[in-house]
Amino acid sequence: MTFKHSQAELCAKRVLYECGLSDPTEFPLPKIILGRKAFYEETPLDGKEGEIVSVDNRSIITINSLIQFETKKRFAAAHELGHYEMHRSLRPIFSDTEEDLMNWYKAGPQETEANEFAAEFLMPSELFYKECERKKFEPKVIEHLANRFVVSKTAAILKFVNRGNHPVFVVYCKDNKIKWFKKSDDFYHFSHLKMNAAPPTGTVAYEMFLGKKAYVGDESKQDIWKSDWFEMRSEDEPDTRFFEYCLFAKSYNYTISVIWEK
């Protein structure tokens, strides 16, 4: 599979190459950052997941030590490394919140580039595709990819929409409001969603924000109707069954849904 890479992704590939790494899980990320001549530390940060401060050719990357999950720390660190490699001459300080790391398709250009860098650095496209190439898509594939690359399921989902082996539609909702959605290039259904509206009734995301049980294990793949998320081509088109896999981050009150055709 041949991919067209963004400038941020190409930068991530260059850094991996210069570090002599074909697989980013082979070496601890803090040591990679030190090898790139930046300092790395973990300390409590108020309202921030990470930041980078660059002064007089010295850069310090700080990650919030209160982050509970190592996978999330890794993504925040890779995000700040992206700022270091691409943006340190533009601004002396970048401070990144949970919202900055999640708003992939609504953030400013530098935050988007840092997220693209982090995703490619931690999950190189060619390796990522090989890990799912011959697998039938289901939630277990996302779990496998997250474990393989030591990233969160959310990060694996966001990578899958562009580099996976099956067409999917991804919707991110925060505080019961739709914030962005993204589809694979070969996903041919059109949404009827409006920004900052609540997720449609009938969707799993809607159920999650109502406080109903979260679906896990074999139940994580739920049947839904096409019309729940997408436009119908005509009044005569029969409604068809789709699947929805929805993650709910209760502490941050967001959902991320993966929808695909049955």
Side-chain angles (χ1 to χ4, degrees):
M1 174 65 69
T2 301
F3 298 106
K4 182 178 180 181
H5 297 289
S6 68
Q7 290 300 310
E9 290 172 326
L10 291 173
C11 181
K13 288 185 172 299
R14 174 180 58 78
V15 173
L16 285 169
Y17 176 79
E18 291 174 355
C19 292
L21 294 171
S22 58
D23 186 334
T25 64
E26 294 173 348
F27 205 70
L29 189 49
K31 290 187 177 181
I32 293 174
I33 290 172
L34 288 171
R36 300 301 291 177
K37 300 182 180 179
F39 294 95
Y40 177 90
E41 65 177 9
E42 294 186 13
T43 193
L45 295 174
D46 185 16
K48 294 178 288 188
E49 304 295 86
E51 69 177 10
I52 177 170
V53 179
S54 300
V55 180
D56 297 331
N57 295 319
R58 289 166 56 89
S59 295
I60 300 176
I61 289 175
T62 305
I63 302 303
N64 189 349
S65 61
L66 301 179
I67 295 175
Q68 292 183 325
F69 302 105
E70 192 62 30
T71 54
K72 193 168 186 179
K73 284 184 180 179
R74 276 172 53 80
F75 194 89
H79 179 98
E80 302 307 331
L81 179 60
H83 281 315
Y84 173 78
E85 297 289 345
M86 296 182 290
H87 308 137
R88 68 181 185 273
S89 63
L90 302 178
R91 278 171 48 189
I93 300 175
F94 285 89
S95 296
D96 295 298
T97 65
E98 167 73 13
E99 186 174 359
D100 293 323
L101 298 182
M102 283 303 304
N103 281 344
W104 280 40
Y105 304 108
K106 288 293 183 180
Q110 292 165 3
E111 294 304 326
T112 298
E113 286 181 337
N115 274 336
E116 288 180 352
F117 176 98
E120 185 64 26
F121 189 86
L122 297 175
M123 299 170 281
S125 293
E126 292 75 17
L127 282 180
F128 187 90
Y129 186 81
K130 286 180 180 178
E131 289 294 329
C132 58
E133 184 175 13
R134 294 180 175 85
K135 293 180 172 67
K136 180 180 179 181
F137 183 70
E138 58 181 339
K140 289 181 180 179
V141 172
I142 297 299
E143 183 175 354
H144 167 74
L145 293 167
N147 292 334
R148 166 64 178 83
F149 293 102
V150 197
V151 297
S152 67
K153 291 178 183 178
T154 296
I157 287 169
L158 293 172
K159 184 73 175 183
F160 192 93
V161 70
N162 289 321
R163 297 292 189 253
N165 66 327
H166 192 89
V168 297
F169 185 87
V170 175
V171 185
Y172 171 71
C173 302
K174 170 75 171 172
D175 299 329
N176 201 27
K177 295 180 180 179
I178 297 168
K179 294 302 181 181
W180 56 256
F181 49 86
K182 177 73 173 177
K183 67 184 182 70
S184 303
D185 289 340
D186 52 351
F187 190 92
Y188 299 116
H189 303 280
F190 297 96
S191 71
H192 51 54
L193 306 180
K194 294 181 179 179
M195 294 300 98
N196 292 314
T201 59
T203 67
V204 182
Y206 177 84
E207 287 189 54
M208 295 289 191
F209 284 112
L210 278 182
K212 295 186 178 181
K213 73 168 187 175
Y215 296 104
V216 297
D218 293 338
E219 291 187 331
S220 58
K221 181 175 72 173
Q222 288 289 305
D223 282 329
I224 59 169
W225 292 106
K226 175 184 177 179
S227 60
D228 290 331
W229 284 112
F230 305 109
E231 295 178 358
M232 305 300 287
R233 294 184 179 91
S234 69
E235 294 182 358
D236 297 328
E237 180 187 359
D239 214 350
T240 53
R241 303 299 287 182
F242 276 58
F243 292 124
E244 181 177 354
Y245 167 45
C246 185
L247 296 179
F248 181 43
K250 189 174 182 179
S251 57
Y252 294 98
N253 202 34
Y254 77 74
T255 60
I256 187 160
S257 292
V258 187
I259 301 106
W260 69 105
E261 193 165 6
K262 188 168 183 177

